[in-house]
Every structure is written in C-alpha cells, then in structure tokens.
Amino acid sequence: MHRERHVGGTPHLTGQPERRGRSAEIAVRARPGGPPIMQPQTRTSARPRGRFKWLPAVLQWRSAAALLLGLSALLLSVSSATTASAETARIVTAPPTGTTSLLATTGPTSTTRDPDRDSVELGLRFSATANETLTGLRFFRAGGDVQAHQATLWSSTGRVLTTLTFAARSTAGWQYASFASPVAISANETYVASYHVSDGYAAETGFFTGDPLSAGGLVTSAAASPGVYAYGDTAKFPTNTYKASNYWIDPVVSTTSAAPEPTATEPPPADTAGSTTSGTFPNADNTGVPAGTTLSSYTGPTTITTAGTVIDSKKITGCLNIKADNVTIKNSLIQSGGCFFNVLSDNGNTGLKLTDVEIDGQGNTSGDSAINGSNFSCLRCDLHGTVDGAKAGSNVVIQDSYIHDLSMTSGSHNDGIQSLGTTSLRIVHNTIIIKAGSTSAIILSTGSASNMRNVLIDSNLLGGGAYTVYGGYLAGTDDLSKVSNISITNNQFTTQIFPKSGAYGPLTSTDSPVVVSGNTWYDGPNAGKSVY
C-alpha cells in the first residue's frame, strides 16, 4: 500500500482517531483505477493514564500556551527531519553509461509493492525538445515482483513503435532493458513508455505536482499528469491518470551520439527511400518492375560472390544464391519454375536489397519459396507462383510488397510469409491475401524456432489461411522463453477469401506477451470496426 505523499514533504494520513483506548486510522490507497480504497487500521492508544491537578485559570492558560509552543517546536522538528529523510532516502540508480533519463536522479522511497493485483499497463507520457535517440527503458521493480514484464513505446495516438522485455528477477530496484535497435524520436512529438504488470508495482501519488521533469532533451508534460495507466489482461495504450501518480517507468536517451532521422509515428515507418506507405495498399500496379522499364537478359552468375554487386533492369531466369554482402537487385523480373528458392540468402551474407522486383515461380509446386534466408529487405516486391511467398529469418524487412496467388496442392500448407525463428523481423504495409486451402498469410512458427523475438507486423492488408495470422505464442503450447517483443498492430483484415478473414478467424497464437492492438476489418459488414 502507498499512502498519499508529495515529493519532499511528509506523508498525508487521512481520518481522525477515535477517542477510546483503541483508535482507528483510515489510509487511502492510490489505486490507479480509483476510486480510492479506504482501508481501516487499528492501533493501541499511547495516551497516559492518571489524575490531573486543578490549576488556577492563569496557570492553566500559561501551561497550555507553553504546551502549544512546545508541540509546535516538536512538530516543526519532526517535519524538518521527515523532509530531510524524504529527500535523502530515495532509491536512486543511474542509467547506463552514455545515457540519461527523466528519472535518473530520483526514485521511490522504498521497495514496497502496492497490493493491487489486477493486470494493468503503467506508463509515463513524455516528449522531446529535439530529435533524440532512445536506447531502451527502465522501471523500478517492487519487492516481491519476480515476473518478466513486456514494455512498450507508443506514439501519441497509441501506435506501437517498439517493445522490449524486462527479464524476470527476484531483486527489487531499478532494471534496464535495451530496445532491439535504438529508436529515433522527433522534437515536439509526444510518446508514452509503459509496462504491463499483474502482481503489484511501485507507485507514488502526488509526484507530478511540481515543475515538469527534463533530462537529455526529454521533458514531461506540464499540461497533464505524465503518469498514465490502463487496466487489461494484455498490453494496451494507457491514458487514464490518478492524482499525479508516478509509476516509475523511465525512457532512457543516448547522450553520446547524434540522433538519426526520427521514427515516423503516422503512417508506419519506411526503411528504404521511395516507400509507398500511403492510403493505397500494395497491388500489381505499384509493386514489381516499374511501368516503362526495359528489361534485358541477365547473363551474369547465379551464385553471387562479389560484394556490392548491383543487378538492375534484368530478366533473370535462374535461381540466385547470394553469398556476398551488400548485393542489390532492383527493377528486375526473376522468373523461373525450376527453383527450390528463387532467391537464397542464408550464407551469412548481409545487406541484400530487393527493390521493385517481381519474383514469378510460374506455378512451381515442387519448390519452397520466392525468397529465403536472413539479412535482406524486400521493398515493393511482387511475389507469386511459389508455394510460400517468403521464408524470413533474422534481420529481415518486407515492406510495401504484394504476396498473392501462391501455387497450391492438397498438402502444400502455403504461407504468405513464414518465420521459423528470428531476432528481428519487420512486416510493414504489405498486401498478403492467400487463397482458400492455404495455412496463413503470416505465421510465426515458434515451435520450430530457437528464438521468436522483435517482430513487428504493422499496417498490412491481410486475408486467407486457416487463421490469417499465427502470432507466435500460444500459452501451454509454445515455449515462453523463446518469445519477446512481438507486435501485431494496425492491420486490416479482408473478408475477400472467408467471412472471418481466415477460415477460423483472423488471429491465433496471440497470448501475452504478444501485443495486439489497432487491428480493424477492411471490408464486410464490420468494415472499420475493431477485429476484437
């Protein structure tokens, strides 16, 4: 339980003691969801017993005055001592070297855990005075809290920008976790950092009653209480406030490097110049080889071993095996019905870029996928005619692309995008609509993976499959230790293939810690409404 308090002041106790041998105090608990919960407490009166002598009125007055002066001095002394104690007893831990944070020089006065055991998202609303780079988040773990917690960085409108996980531990105090990649934020934009908890937390009412906090180019709001919360079984955008409470979640900003270009908050971020993340979803007209491009036959090697190779405006009829770094394929058609993988990038190479490329598997049902591997990006790609569209490992970005018309057999188990394990995967603003009889538009196969981490599935148009999206974690089936930072946000689901998007529904395997928010129906009777 935490009582009402103000930074630098004495705790405020409410209620009047009864005038009997046992008295009752009433403590007000600042539960985020309010209203306050009144909790009676009892104590034994310390009032001495005995007789009082009668004194003349003047002496009675003088005695009373002296007593009042003495009590005033005593109360002043206690108040000063308490104030000094409150100023010096805060639990302060600096963030990592080369960083700072809004709460770097302060902290709770104890490790006491609030008795509230409802699941709740607890957050801090803040903004930047200049373009800055966030390296991660930290929070204060209350005593007795031993769980892992998922934390989220949100835009001002509730869009998930990224997530991370605070690992389980038994030690109370400040705990830091890094984002998979640093996050650039924009000057004068508002953000919310939050974490989800279901077993009590550290909190302090009245904390944000003074001047705004500022550090490292970050600042808390002066117009509204920065501390925010939202009750719910899974992560959700917190907007409620309660008595200027601080829930001890803290954004950490770099002090050692120049900020990169900020991460856009609306619409979703593009990873490569020329992205078409507009109101129009990808289709045959705005993906693949640009109209008017003249293609010539590719006569180079199909196994690429020269770093920095560029293949531009070519028709390629072989199967490409990439074994060099920083290879670029653009404005080209890769067309072959005899490949197991039309493009393979699993040889430890990095930096493969496919931009404005069409991969046509020509109905091949004996192969696997149009592209397979790690360390590649596919921007404005048109993938079709293969069993699967893409097999995605680590450090993969698939964006503004169109995956459709896969080659099916009775046992082909087609997927638009399948990951058998990743440490970084972004699937942003694509159209992935798969015919009846397929398995999924997107599937995260955690059962086959050693890791399924740092996955963003955002702002896509999706349809088809048994379920359209398999989100990577089904409690009781998948191994939780393999899973972190998976977000499925702001997607639109079409009824073009099935009334429920997939034969059984739009989403499955999305138990916490998977974040699901902002997903809506693209068409059908519930067009524009939330999927769940």
Side-chain angles (χ1 to χ4, degrees):
M1 179 187 76
H2 54 276
R3 298 188 177 97
E4 293 182 303
R5 64 170 73 108
H6 296 275
V7 174
T10 56
H12 296 286
L13 302 179
T14 62
Q16 293 294 326
E18 297 179 1
R19 299 182 182 274
R20 289 194 295 271
R22 295 189 64 83
S23 62
E25 291 180 349
I26 303 297
V28 178
R29 178 160 67 85
R31 184 182 182 190
I37 299 173
M38 309 301 290
Q39 298 180 325
Q41 299 177 332
T42 60
R43 67 174 184 177
T44 302
S45 173
R47 186 172 55 190
R49 297 182 180 182
R51 296 180 178 274
F52 290 93
K53 284 190 175 182
W54 178 87
L55 293 174
V58 172
L59 293 180
Q60 290 183 37
W61 180 86
R62 288 179 178 175
S63 296
L67 180 61
L68 287 172
L69 287 172
L71 286 173
S72 296
L74 178 61
L75 288 172
L76 180 61
S77 173
V78 170
S79 176
S80 299
T82 303
T83 299
S85 175
E87 290 172 348
T88 59
R90 291 192 173 274
I91 303 171
V92 178
T93 300
T97 302
T99 69
T100 189
S101 67
L102 284 168
L103 302 177
T105 60
T106 187
T109 56
S110 76
T111 62
T112 301
R113 181 170 49 153
D114 191 278
D116 181 9
R117 297 297 184 265
D118 290 335
S119 294
V120 63
E121 189 83 9
L122 302 172
L124 177 71
R125 184 188 295 121
F126 68 98
S127 59
T129 57
N131 292 347
E132 300 291 350
T133 301
L134 299 183
T135 64
L137 302 173
R138 62 186 200 137
F139 87 114
F140 191 90
R141 182 181 290 276
D145 174 10
V146 298
Q147 298 179 346
H149 300 293
Q150 177 158 308
T152 305
L153 180 67
W154 313 80
S155 73
S156 60
T157 59
R159 179 176 174 268
V160 175
L161 301 180
T162 190
T163 62
L164 59 78
T165 298
F166 294 115
R169 78 177 198 191
S170 58
T171 305
W174 285 104
Q175 182 174 348
Y176 172 79
S178 298
F179 295 126
S181 300
V183 178
I185 60 174
S186 301
N188 304 314
E189 290 283 346
T190 298
Y191 301 88
V192 173
S194 66
Y195 78 103
H196 195 262
V197 62
S198 59
D199 197 27
Y201 47 84
E204 182 173 328
T205 57
F207 184 91
F208 291 115
T209 54
D211 294 333
L213 300 180
S214 63
L218 307 183
V219 63
T220 58
S221 171
S225 178
V228 289
Y229 71 90
Y231 279 101
D233 291 335
T234 59
K236 62 190 300 186
F237 184 50
T239 57
N240 300 308
T241 63
Y242 181 75
K243 292 190 174 181
S245 292
N246 183 2
Y247 302 114
W248 300 111
I249 174 76
D250 192 20
V252 178
V253 61
S254 173
T255 59
T256 60
S257 60
E261 287 300 311
T263 299
T265 56
E266 298 292 343
D271 292 278
T272 309
S275 169
T276 58
T277 51
S278 64
T280 301
F281 281 105
N283 56 57
D285 295 330
N286 56 24
T287 61
V289 181
T293 301
T294 300
L295 300 179
S296 60
S297 296
Y298 176 70
T299 57
T302 56
T303 298
I304 309 298
T305 58
T306 301
T309 294
V310 177
I311 301 173
D312 186 5
S313 302
K314 298 296 183 181
K315 180 178 180 179
I316 303 162
T317 57
C319 313
L320 295 180
N321 189 1
I322 311 300
K323 293 188 175 183
D325 294 340
N326 303 318
V327 172
T328 298
I329 306 170
K330 60 182 180 179
N331 307 316
S332 295
L333 169 64
I334 302 172
Q335 188 175 57
S336 174
C339 300
F340 196 74
F341 305 114
N342 292 77
V343 178
L344 179 62
S345 176
D346 71 345
N347 297 283
N349 52 284
T350 62
L352 171 62
K353 295 182 179 179
L354 291 86
T355 304
D356 298 311
V357 170
E358 179 181 356
I359 301 180
D360 177 10
Q362 296 188 308
N364 181 11
T365 58
S366 61
D368 188 272
S369 59
I371 184 167
N372 175 74
S374 295
N375 304 306
F376 71 85
S377 64
C378 200
L379 179 70
R380 295 188 299 276
C381 296
D382 182 351
L383 310 182
H384 59 96
T386 54
V387 173
D388 288 342
K391 285 284 202 327
S394 293
N395 301 314
V396 170
V397 176
I398 301 172
Q399 184 164 328
D400 296 333
S401 294
Y402 182 33
I403 302 176
H404 60 104
D405 294 309
L406 299 180
S407 299
M408 300 180 63
T409 67
S410 59
S412 55
H413 303 291
N414 304 76
D415 303 302
I417 299 174
Q418 181 186 78
S419 179
L420 300 175
T422 184
T423 57
S424 179
L425 172 60
R426 293 171 58 87
I427 303 171
V428 177
H429 196 258
N430 304 282
T431 297
I432 310 174
I433 300 176
I434 310 302
K435 294 182 290 187
S438 61
T439 299
S440 70
I442 301 171
I443 184 167
L444 307 180
S445 298
T446 301
S448 304
S450 57
N451 286 285
M452 194 64 72
R453 306 187 189 281
N454 307 313
V455 180
L456 177 65
I457 301 172
D458 187 271
S459 300
N460 302 282
L461 176 59
L462 305 171
Y467 285 95
T468 301
V469 175
Y470 290 74
Y473 183 66
L474 181 64
T477 299
D478 293 313
D479 183 349
L480 180 59
S481 68
K482 298 179 179 181
V483 176
S484 62
N485 304 341
I486 300 175
S487 296
I488 305 170
T489 54
N490 308 309
N491 300 287
Q492 296 186 44
F493 289 84
T494 179
T495 60
Q496 177 180 330
I497 307 299
F498 296 107
K500 297 180 180 180
S501 183
Y504 303 110
L507 293 159
T508 188
S509 300
T510 56
D511 293 334
S512 181
V514 178
V515 173
V516 178
S517 69
N519 300 294
T520 58
W521 290 104
Y522 176 73
D523 50 20
N526 295 311
K529 295 182 180 179
S530 176
V531 167
Y532 290 126

